[in-house]
Amino acid sequence: MSRNAKTKILIISDFNADNFSEYLKNDEESPAVISNTSLFGQTMQTLADFSMPCWLDSPEFLIVWTQLHQISSSFNHFLIYEKSSIDSCFNEIDAFCNKLAEAAQRVTALFVPTWTVPAHNRGLGVIDLKNDHGIGNILMRANLRLIDNLKSTTNIYILNAQRWMELAGARNANNPKLWYMGKIAFGNEVFREAGRDIKSAIRAIRGQARKLIILDLDNTIWGGIIGETGKENLRLGGHDPVGESFVDFQKALKALKTRGILLAIVSKNDENIAIDAISSHPEMILQLNDFVGWRINWKDKAENILELASELNIGLQSIVFIDDSPNERSRVREAISEVEVPDWPEDSLLYTKTLLSMRCFDSFAITEEDMQRTKLYTAEKERTAAHTAGQSLDEWLHSLETHVIAEQLTSINLSRTVQLLNKTNQMNLSTRRMTETELSIWAEQKNHHLWTFRVTDKFGDAGLTGIASLEIEKGTVSIIDFILSCRILGRKIEQAMLHFIINKAKQLGGEKIEATYIPTPKNQVCLSFWKESSGFVENADSGIFTYNNLASYPLPASIVLVEN
Amino acid sequence: MANITKITELILESLKELNQLLPPDQQLPLSPETKLFGSEGLLDSLGLINLVVILEERIYNEFNVEVTISGDLSTLQQDNTFKNIQTLSEHITRTMQNKTP
């Protein structure tokens, strides 16, 4: 898909979704969308018949937004307090979910909002949740049934529509006038929130989630200016609403870090004073080892951010910058357009709410590597620091005691593999982007082979950080994916991977092996490797690198290679 | 207190919000001369429904008064209430004045 191509979305609903479709199209947030609605009120028919006109445009994403009483006639009975069977309701939900699973095979991802009932419908009142036939009771169980049925289908995402209703407010969530006059089930604020969540989900699926928050210090993670007040007079914790709000903000940041988001500091301060406060203030939640880096000095913050990004080898498009100062935010926005700089409230009591409502960290999976990400970056700093003056590169690499563990694609490593496939830009030969379903199907084909590579050394486990895949056609082995996390570039892991896959190519009967470099604005590093370090010969016209002699490709002496 | 100037302002704000629901080439000019519905109008029936609901909500938020434009929509279509912004402003102002005790 070209960079400027719009994303095609099909909306199937049992209400008039034209308003929702227009919001999606007109909303300026990425991605730009072309959305199409099926004839409303024909949900099951549209899911069953892929020859219907709405499918002919080959949508990339599908949204199926229904109301439970349209899917389940049993629920209709419950709504009017007639006797009905929850099992019948579940059977109808199961049938609906089966149709969704079939439809999901035709698209990159399918989004299913949960079912809701207007807030003004109190059902059985005080016993509505306690009674098994209460509307609220059945609605919750129906949604749980929906989630349980669909959660194992990797490209189906169930979205919490109840949150949209709450954000829109009771008056705006369900407007009876819109329903009776236009068969529009929800207010426009609901559609706005839904559109934002769906676009965020698409960005997450495409590997565009942000992964580093760079924070100011004064009046951002604590109240006050430490250089003026000293650490004793900072507003942090204690019986003070402002102090309490900063503690909660730090807790929310720490929770994001636990989820895999990195934290760093860029602050105009005396570094010693700031570090002392972080290390010794009794109410600090965030500690030094929660941060993967910092620039605390009096330099321009944009300059500091660029330096930090370079040190951490993180793309600018992965960064969010949070600062209480409108001037600093404006400066960074103008200087580095790729960095996300959210508008920030003046009142610290709103900081945590603002942070938690941000969508830019949405990810389609949370893996073990995510949970360890800060430790991985810290270990990388220790590795680099261990490189002593006068030590040659080879001596240093030997000292790391690096092990590379190769493993085929499995259901256990699939999530992490797809995450790495979709978010790696620099060392990426073909920059394919695929969902878990798409990659599984590709890897299962007889002439396709894919291996993952996990790297450990004496400083720790860097995790699953490499992917290589092959396609074999009549004696020619083509390297399709050659991917390595930027964290471990330049340690001859690349050559270890080539050693492994060339051996595999020989075992599979290959006579020659080639790799086609597909240029992007971000993978020059990959081209440099293939030109200068791979040992392959380049055909400059075609961009194909060839290795004709499959006799041997040396394994770097500093690496122990193991196959699981 | 509702006056025609304020009502006109609310209608224009409602049109701005309505434009978020319309393709770029069908968005309405934010001008008192904009023709809304009818033979020369720019809105289709869905656009009219959306405008009415948005406008009723803005009137409620501004004056804390429920004004029902939508209840007699078919009548309003026939008597040119939605012909342009001026006719709509006059109708709403009259309706609100009738509501004031």
Side-chain angles (χ1 to χ4, degrees):
Chain A
M1 187 176 74
S2 78
R3 291 179 72 202
N4 294 325
K6 290 189 176 181
T7 299
K8 291 185 199 168
I9 298 180
L10 172 63
I11 304 167
I12 299 175
S13 64
D14 51 28
F15 56 87
N16 181 344
D18 284 352
N19 283 5
F20 177 45
S21 178
E22 291 304 323
Y23 270 131
L24 274 175
K25 285 189 275 193
N26 290 341
D27 180 60
E28 289 176 355
E29 268 193 40
S30 150
V33 154
I34 300 174
S35 66
N36 191 17
T37 52
S38 66
L39 290 173
F40 80 81
Q42 296 189 21
T43 304
M44 295 301 264
Q45 299 93 314
T46 309
L47 289 173
D49 182 0
F50 299 120
S51 68
M52 288 178 94
C54 59
W55 289 105
L56 298 181
D57 211 24
S58 303
E60 191 183 347
F61 295 97
L62 177 61
I63 303 167
V64 181
W65 198 344
T66 60
Q67 302 164 91
L68 182 55
H69 64 273
Q70 302 281 13
I71 295 297
S72 165
S73 58
S74 303
F75 187 69
N76 249 323
H77 290 297
F78 286 123
L79 277 177
I80 54 177
Y81 312 113
E82 284 181 357
K83 265 196 164 182
S84 191
S85 150
I86 188 68
D87 286 335
S88 300
C89 183
F90 282 173
N91 288 340
E92 289 165 318
I93 292 172
D94 294 347
F96 173 58
C97 290
N98 287 339
K99 284 283 165 236
L100 291 176
E102 284 173 29
Q105 294 176 33
R106 304 184 69 85
V107 291
T108 299
L110 191 163
F111 301 108
V112 184
T114 53
W115 293 304
T116 59
V117 162
H120 55 252
N121 188 339
R122 299 180 60 254
L124 296 175
V126 65
I127 59 169
D128 194 54
L129 290 182
K130 189 172 172 177
N131 187 300
D132 280 348
H133 291 164
I135 291 169
N137 179 306
I138 294 169
L139 184 68
M140 282 190 183
R141 288 194 283 162
N143 276 323
L144 279 175
R145 186 81 174 193
L146 182 77
I147 292 166
D148 284 340
N149 281 351
L150 298 176
K151 66 184 180 188
S152 58
T153 307
T154 52
N155 71 329
I156 294 183
Y157 299 90
I158 307 121
L159 302 180
N160 186 357
Q162 187 59 39
R163 217 175 54 83
W164 305 332
M165 307 299 150
E166 289 165 19
L167 287 168
R171 234 188 117 80
N172 295 313
N174 299 96
N175 189 322
K177 297 184 180 184
L178 282 175
W179 175 254
Y180 288 117
M181 291 201 292
K183 294 297 175 278
I184 301 166
F186 305 106
N188 292 330
E189 277 306 314
V190 171
F191 293 137
R192 254 192 273 263
E193 292 297 332
R196 286 174 188 149
D197 272 3
I198 284 164
K199 285 200 172 186
S200 171
I202 293 173
R203 291 194 299 269
I205 290 164
R206 289 179 174 168
Q208 295 166 6
R210 303 265 169 178
K211 62 183 184 189
L212 168 65
I213 303 174
I214 296 181
L215 295 152
D216 173 47
L217 291 175
D218 293 327
N219 291 316
T220 299
I221 72 165
W222 57 53
I225 297 174
I226 190 168
E228 293 175 5
T229 65
K231 72 180 177 199
E232 302 77 14
N233 295 316
L234 290 177
R235 293 185 82 173
L236 187 62
H239 298 290
D240 164 26
V242 170
E244 195 180 321
S245 70
F246 280 111
V247 163
D248 281 352
F249 181 55
Q250 289 195 23
K251 285 182 181 172
L253 287 165
K254 189 144 184 157
L256 280 177
K257 178 217 140 189
T258 304
R259 215 174 92 183
I261 306 301
L262 301 169
L263 304 178
I265 300 169
V266 164
S267 169
K268 284 183 177 166
N269 251 307
D270 183 299
E271 182 170 356
N272 292 334
I273 293 174
I275 297 290
D276 173 60
I278 293 169
S279 306
S280 62
H281 193 292
E283 301 278 3
M284 277 297 294
I285 302 295
L286 292 171
Q287 298 298 304
L288 265 186
N289 62 6
D290 288 316
F291 299 100
V292 291
W294 52 84
R295 290 287 187 276
I296 306 173
N297 53 45
W298 299 100
K299 284 165 58 177
D300 171 50
K301 288 195 179 184
E303 204 179 307
N304 274 332
I305 288 172
L306 289 170
E307 275 184 30
L308 203 45
S310 176
E311 174 190 306
L312 297 169
N313 208 358
I314 285 183
L316 297 171
Q317 72 284 353
S318 295
I319 298 173
V320 176
F321 174 60
I322 294 177
D323 194 311
D324 71 296
S325 163
N327 289 338
E328 297 288 5
R329 294 198 301 268
S330 173
R331 162 62 186 150
V332 171
R333 261 191 212 118
E334 283 169 22
I336 322 172
S337 60
E338 301 95 318
V339 169
E340 173 147 347
V341 185
D343 286 328
W344 206 247
E346 286 183 22
D347 188 349
S348 66
L349 274 64
L350 301 176
Y351 281 14
T352 300
K353 178 182 170 185
T354 306
L355 181 70
L356 294 178
S357 66
M358 290 175 72
R359 294 177 168 88
C360 56
F361 308 113
D362 281 6
S363 175
F364 73 90
I366 295 181
T367 64
E368 193 55 39
E369 271 85 355
D370 291 322
M371 313 279 273
Q372 302 296 327
R373 185 167 284 125
T374 296
K375 275 191 196 158
L376 298 176
Y377 272 82
T378 308
E380 188 53 34
K381 279 175 78 168
E382 289 173 4
R383 269 181 213 101
T384 308
H387 190 175
T388 57
Q391 190 183 35
S392 72
L393 177 63
D394 281 335
E395 285 168 347
W396 175 64
L397 290 176
H398 266 289
S399 73
L400 294 179
E401 300 166 21
T402 304
H403 284 64
V404 174
I405 301 108
E407 189 177 67
Q408 289 190 313
L409 188 67
T410 67
S411 59
I412 296 170
N413 64 26
L414 174 63
S415 196
R416 169 58 187 160
T417 303
V418 168
Q419 188 184 63
L420 188 65
L421 182 84
N422 285 322
K423 72 173 190 182
T424 305
N425 293 310
Q426 295 180 77
M427 181 59 83
N428 194 329
L429 181 67
S430 57
T431 315
R432 292 199 301 170
R433 303 302 191 200
M434 303 175 95
T435 64
E436 291 184 14
T437 305
E438 287 167 342
L439 188 65
S440 294
I441 291 170
W442 186 89
E444 280 164 12
Q445 292 176 60
K446 201 171 144 208
N447 62 332
H448 293 163
H449 303 271
L450 187 148
W451 293 272
T452 67
F453 297 87
R454 177 171 216 91
V455 178
T456 71
D457 64 21
K458 71 179 184 186
F459 289 98
D461 185 347
L464 194 162
T465 39
I467 302 169
S469 67
L470 305 178
E471 182 177 85
I472 300 173
E473 205 71 47
K474 294 180 184 155
T476 297
V477 178
S478 301
I479 302 173
I480 304 299
D481 299 298
F482 190 85
I483 292 170
L484 197 61
S485 169
C486 54
R487 282 188 277 119
I488 54 168
L489 290 178
R491 288 169 49 189
K492 301 202 176 176
I493 313 295
E494 302 91 316
Q495 287 85 348
M497 286 167 60
L498 283 178
H499 166 84
F500 179 85
I501 60 178
I502 288 171
N503 276 345
K504 285 295 177 187
K506 280 186 289 188
Q507 289 168 21
L508 292 165
E511 291 156 13
K512 74 170 184 177
I513 187 164
E514 58 186 34
T516 302
Y517 167 74
I518 299 174
T520 73
K522 293 181 179 160
N523 71 348
Q524 274 290 309
V525 161
C526 187
L527 179 62
S528 300
F529 165 73
W530 285 94
K531 275 177 178 288
E532 294 155 21
S533 312
S534 68
F536 280 51
V537 174
E538 181 189 9
N539 179 322
D541 293 329
S542 64
I544 296 178
F545 292 82
T546 308
Y547 193 78
N548 283 316
N549 178 8
L550 294 191
S552 81
Y553 188 98
L555 176 69
S558 56
I559 291 179
V560 173
L561 179 62
V562 172
E563 183 177 4
N564 264 359
Chain B
M1 171 127 165
N3 60 60
I4 199 160
T5 307
K6 185 65 190 174
I7 298 296
T8 303
E9 196 182 296
L10 290 178
I11 294 172
L12 288 171
E13 287 172 10
S14 300
L15 287 183
K16 193 174 171 186
E17 187 177 335
L18 176 65
N19 278 342
Q20 293 176 29
L21 294 172
L22 299 173
D25 59 342
Q26 293 175 31
Q27 290 175 5
L28 274 66
L30 300 179
S31 158
E33 286 77 41
T34 298
K35 292 184 169 44
L36 296 174
F37 193 74
S39 57
E40 293 175 24
L42 299 174
L43 288 175
D44 60 14
S45 54
L46 181 60
L48 185 63
I49 290 166
N50 277 314
L51 174 61
V52 161
V53 170
I54 292 169
L55 182 52
E56 285 182 352
E57 193 59 26
R58 283 189 177 265
I59 291 171
Y60 177 80
N61 289 337
E62 179 70 29
F63 299 110
N64 202 28
V65 168
E66 295 273 11
V67 170
T68 302
I69 309 172
S70 52
D72 48 4
L73 196 58
S74 55
T75 311
L76 296 175
Q77 289 176 21
Q78 287 162 18
D79 68 13
N80 288 329
T81 298
F82 283 94
K83 185 177 171 188
N84 56 44
I85 289 177
Q86 184 180 344
T87 56
L88 183 57
S89 291
E90 288 168 356
H91 169 78
I92 293 171
T93 307
R94 271 197 309 274
T95 304
M96 291 187 71
Q97 284 168 353
N98 289 342
K99 272 179 145 336
T100 308

